[in-house]
Amino acid sequence: MKSVAISIEWERVVVRRVGATHAVLCDISFAIRAGQMVAVVGHNGAGKTTLARVMTGLIPIAAGAVKVFGQPLPTQRRLVQMGFQPPSAQLLGTTIAEELAIALAARPCETGEVESDARRMQAEMHALCRRFGLNMPLTTPVHHLSGGQVARLCIASAIASGAYILVMDETQAELDPAARQAMRQLFRDLAEQGRTILLITHDMEDVLAADRVLVLEAGRLVDDLPVRSFFYSERGGATPCQQHGFEEPFLVRAARSTNHRLGLRLSPVTEMEWTEGLQHVSACR
Ligand SMILES: Nc1ncnc2c1ncn2[C@@H]1O[C@H](COP(=O)(O)OP(=O)(O)OP(=O)(O)O)[C@@H](O)[C@H]1O
C-alpha cells in the first residue's frame, strides 16, 4: 500500500446534483501523494463538502474517475474515512471501548493475521487511546468527553478501522484555539506516518499547517499550490490567498509587516521558521 506514491487521484470529475442547474463540481483533476496533508478551501457553496462526500462514495460522479491507491474508488472505499460536523454524530459506541471495538471489528484482517481475541483488542484500544491522547478509562461514556476528545476519538476510530485517507469536513469548527492547534499537530503526525489528510476548512491557520492547498470556486478547481506559494508572492503584489478573498493568518500578516519595515523577504509557514529567519538575518547584519 505505502509503496504506491499517489493515494488520491481525480481525473476530470464532474458531479451533478438533482435540482442544481449547473454541475456542482466541474472538470476537477488533481493527484495527492500518500503522506500529504492537503487543505481544501473555498467560499460557501464552492463545492468542498461535495468533494468530501464523493471521496467517501456518498455522492456518485457523472463523469471522470476517482482513484484511491491507483484503483477505482468503489473497490478501495474502506481505506477512506470521513469526519464531519459535529464529530459526536459519527460515534456508534456509547463508551470509548465500544466505539473502538466497533472500529477494530470493521478493520479487514491482513493476510496471516488471526482474528482479534479480547485481550489483544484491549491492548490495541489502550494503545490507540495513548496515541490519540485519550487519557481516561476505556469505560468512559462518550457523552462525558469534551469536543476535542470526541474529535480525537473519531480519528482514533477511523485509524482503528484501517483508514489510510482521512477526509475531514470542518471537524475542528467547534474546538477552542488550543484544541484546534492540537488537532493540526495530530493531522501532521498522521501525515508524517504516511496517512493522507484532506482537510476541508475555512480557517487559514489550518491551511498554514498543510503541505498544499486546493482552492474551489463555484465548483471549479481554480488553484492547487504549495502552502508557501498560497500565502506569499515571489514578485510582490497580491498573493493567491488575498486574490481569492481569504483572511490571512496572523503569522503571514506579521511576517509581511516585518518584511516591509526591515526590507526582508521572509516567507515563514511556522513560528519556528519565522524566528529562525529573523535570527539568521540579525546574525548576518
Ligand atoms: N443535495 C443537493 N442538491 C442540490 N444541490 C446541492 C445539494 N447539495 C449541495 N448542493 C449545491 O452544490 C453546491 C456546493 O455545495 P457544497 O455543500 O459542496 O459547498 P461547500 O463549499 O461545502 O459550502 P459551505 O462552505 O457552505 O459548506 C452548492 O451550490 C449547493 O447549493
Side-chain angles (χ1 to χ4, degrees), residues 17-20 24 42-51 53 59 169 200 202 216:
R17 302 305 305 267
V18 178
V24 292
H43 297 292
N44 289 138
K48 304 177 299 296
T49 294
T50 306
L51 182 145
R53 291 189 177 156
I59 295 180
D169 189 0
I200 287 148
H202 287 286
L216 290 176

Side-chain angles (χ1 to χ4, degrees), residues 251-284:
L251 177 69
V252 173
R253 280 183 282 128
R256 174 166 318 97
S257 142
T258 308
N259 283 347
H260 183 68
R261 277 190 288 119
L262 303 179
L264 305 176
R265 294 177 64 91
L266 299 176
S267 53
V269 293
T270 63
E271 283 181 26
M272 189 181 285
E273 271 188 16
W274 195 34
T275 48
E276 283 176 357
L278 289 173
Q279 277 165 3
H280 179 72
V281 168
S282 65
C284 293

Side-chain angles (χ1 to χ4, degrees), residues 87-139:
S88 55
Q90 293 153 61
L91 297 177
L92 299 172
T94 58
T95 62
I96 294 178
E98 248 183 62
E99 177 61 25
L100 293 178
I102 292 167
L104 286 167
R107 183 179 59 185
C109 289
E110 309 239 326
T111 316
E113 188 183 14
V114 286
E115 212 161 298
S116 301
D117 60 29
R119 201 184 308 156
R120 183 175 147 184
M121 203 179 237
Q122 283 277 323
E124 283 202 56
M125 287 182 197
H126 283 296
L128 280 161
C129 286
R130 274 196 304 278
R131 183 173 169 194
F132 291 97
L134 294 163
N135 304 315
M136 62 278 293
L138 286 173
T139 50

